[in-house]
Amino acid sequence: MTGPGLALRYTLFAVIATLANLGTQRLVLTAGDSGAVFTAAIGAGTLVGLVVKYALDKRWIFYDSSTGLRAHGRKFALYTAMGIVTTCIFWGSETAFWLIWGTDTMRELGAILGLMVGYVTKYILDRRFVFTDARLQAEGA
């Protein structure tokens, strides 16, 4: 796949994962507006977004055809580890926007901006450290 095509697909998948994340957050936030509910919303949204993005990236970005619990477990663990730093970017941005403006619209804008920066960083990390076998196969090595 060409660079622009890959970038478009990756962007589409980031949008899908972002919508899954924010949709989950909105659902959890219907339980109230306390700090505990806010924390639960961010955590649940992040988990849902992570699983959705992993499934899409594995198959359609990195063309990883490995199967089985062992292969998935190892790669998902690495994928999650690479996401720790990028999740901090996302959470920090979302929380900062919430604390500064105190509105759901600005919280979601902060989340979207944080996710954008995080996803670019995540692609670089995943290509380098997670989906190395798939990358080598795609490059004919």
Side-chain angles (χ1 to χ4, degrees):
M1 174 168 282
T2 65
L6 183 65
L8 180 62
R9 183 179 287 178
Y10 192 81
T11 300
L12 175 64
F13 294 164
V15 168
I16 291 168
T18 299
L19 292 173
N21 183 322
L22 294 177
T24 301
Q25 284 190 33
R26 282 187 178 190
L27 183 65
V28 173
L29 287 170
T30 62
D33 60 1
S34 70
V37 172
F38 178 74
T39 301
I42 290 177
T46 299
L47 181 61
V48 168
L50 177 68
V51 170
V52 167
K53 191 76 166 63
Y54 172 78
L56 293 170
D57 284 356
K58 181 182 183 308
R59 172 68 177 95
W60 297 103
I61 299 298
F62 298 105
Y63 304 103
D64 182 69
S65 60
S66 62
T67 59
L69 186 59
R70 185 176 181 179
H72 281 292
R74 182 188 151 280
K75 287 191 178 167
F76 188 73
L78 284 170
Y79 189 84
T80 301
M82 295 303 118
I84 290 172
V85 171
T86 59
T87 298
C88 289
I89 293 168
F90 155 56
W91 282 354
S93 177
E94 180 176 9
T95 302
F97 274 57
W98 174 255
L99 293 173
I100 292 167
W101 287 283
T103 67
D104 286 333
T105 301
M106 292 308 288
R107 176 190 57 78
E108 288 183 355
L109 177 60
I112 290 166
L113 293 173
L115 284 166
M116 287 170 50
V117 171
Y119 279 136
V120 170
T121 304
K122 183 118 176 55
Y123 173 80
I124 294 165
L125 293 171
D126 290 340
R127 181 174 157 88
R128 172 92 166 105
F129 298 108
V130 179
F131 295 104
T132 56
D133 295 340
R135 181 176 48 88
L136 292 173
Q137 288 172 1
E139 293 172 357

